[in-house]
Amino acid sequence: MPNIQLQKGEFWEKSWKKHIQDYLKAPPRAGIFIANYFKNIKTVLEIAGGSCRDSRYLANIGYKATGSDFDEKTLNYLQNELFINDKLNYSKQDAFNLTFANDSFDLIFHNGFFIYFNDEQIKQMLKEQARVAKKYIVFFVHNSKNKKLVKIFENKAKSDELYKVRFFNAAKTVDLIKNSSINYKNIKIKKFGGFYDLFYKKFLKGWIPNPVYPFRKLLIPKLYQLQKWENTERICCIVELEK
Ligand SMILES: C[S@@+](CC[C@H](N)C(=O)[O-])C[C@H]1O[C@@H](n2cnc3c(N)ncnc32)[C@H](O)[C@@H]1O
């Protein structure tokens, strides 16, 4: 059962004060994954972007990107204090009720968001995303087959509600899309996050130069696909829309 607290704006305002710096330090893995996988998109919307790390990365490499969230305070802090000359557009948006016109973006994505909601809420949000996206919806959710990760979250949840989340398996994500009312051409599932994230570091073990580092953006998304589901952090679900 999703934790209702994590669906409220007040929770996130407080939580971001504590966590935003850590989120911003992490590599923009989802942005890198998207830039690698899609060659035919120009406009991108991130929903529930929080730190908007991934949409900011996409804006900086030439996409017309918008980072959105329903937590306006955090968006203002990012835009007016941390990233004053940002190429990223910011927009306050509730994922249940986006203010954009139909087909406004080539691709809509979110990372670590559906994990706070039940099936009915997810289907409702998918419908809204399918309205606003022209070509693709891409989302990343935590993988229930990774038992080690599930345990880590259970332990962390004892002191921080942020970790009280739902985990998914690939079949469940596909089921949710099939049972929503959206029209799609196909659904693809990819592995995302895990051991190979190590190669985002310039030095391994703190001092050994990482030979993958110069090629990290190209290689890491491909290397994820070699690992077992049991060792994979998240499921990446790619929905190509039928319009
Ligand atoms: C775990 S965070 C996402 C982190 C983000 N992917 C990042 O890299 O920083 C979840 C986000 O969902 C946002 N959120 C929760 N409910 C929302 C809703 N109904 N509409 C839009 N954003 C929402 C929260 O404000 C929070 O920023």
Side-chain angles (χ1 to χ4, degrees), residues 131-192:
R131 179 184 72 74
V132 174
K134 223 185 293 179
K135 295 180 181 165
Y136 299 101
I137 300 171
V138 180
F139 63 86
F140 302 82
V141 286
H142 295 58
N143 169 26
S144 63
K145 290 219 163 135
N146 187 331
K147 299 295 175 212
K148 224 167 139 185
L149 184 72
V150 174
K151 261 261 146 339
I152 291 171
F153 269 61
E154 276 170 10
N155 281 331
K156 288 193 171 184
K158 288 176 192 157
S159 56
D160 190 342
E161 298 232 55
L162 181 71
Y163 294 94
K164 283 191 184 152
V165 305
R166 182 175 173 192
F167 282 74
F168 295 78
N169 61 39
K172 177 68 190 177
T173 60
V174 172
D175 235 43
L176 279 165
I177 296 156
K178 287 190 172 164
N179 293 324
S180 72
S181 53
I182 69 174
N183 294 324
Y184 59 88
K185 281 188 195 149
N186 61 60
I187 305 168
K188 291 207 170 98
I189 297 292
K190 297 278 165 192
K191 295 169 184 160
F192 179 82

Side-chain angles (χ1 to χ4, degrees), residues 36-150:
N36 251 303
Y37 193 85
F38 297 93
K39 300 298 167 214
N40 59 344
I41 56 159
K42 290 190 174 75
T43 52
V44 182
L45 170 68
E46 180 173 14
I47 286 180
S51 68
C52 295
R53 174 186 62 200
D54 297 294
S55 42
R56 184 171 306 103
Y57 168 79
L58 291 169
N60 285 335
I61 62 167
Y63 291 82
K64 195 166 181 306
T66 301
S68 75
D69 200 284
F70 75 167
D71 172 5
E72 197 172 19
K73 274 209 178 133
T74 301
L75 290 180
N76 285 341
Y77 173 63
L78 291 167
Q79 185 172 22
N80 302 326
E81 295 188 43
L82 291 189
F83 301 98
I84 294 162
N85 297 315
D86 220 345
K87 289 186 179 147
L88 181 67
N89 300 311
Y90 289 88
S91 181
K92 176 187 185 309
Q93 295 289 331
D94 182 340
F96 287 93
N97 195 5
L98 302 171
T99 62
F100 301 106
N102 296 357
D103 301 336
S104 292
F105 297 89
D106 292 334
L107 181 148
I108 292 183
F109 77 98
H110 40 91
N111 184 12
F113 177 53
F114 277 168
I115 55 174
Y116 301 116
F117 298 93
N118 66 32
D119 285 8
E120 286 319 304
Q121 291 170 311
I122 291 172
K123 286 187 228 165
Q124 206 182 325
M125 287 189 276
L126 277 171
K127 196 172 165 194
E128 186 60 347
Q129 288 163 29
R131 179 184 72 74
V132 174
K134 223 185 293 179
K135 295 180 181 165
Y136 299 101
I137 300 171
V138 180
F139 63 86
F140 302 82
V141 286
H142 295 58
N143 169 26
S144 63
K145 290 219 163 135
N146 187 331
K147 299 295 175 212
K148 224 167 139 185
L149 184 72
V150 174

Side-chain angles (χ1 to χ4, degrees), residues 207-222:
W207 61 276
I208 305 168
N210 166 13
V212 174
Y213 190 75
F215 317 104
R216 62 196 180 284
K217 291 176 187 168
L218 201 64
L219 289 184
I220 296 174
K222 294 193 172 66

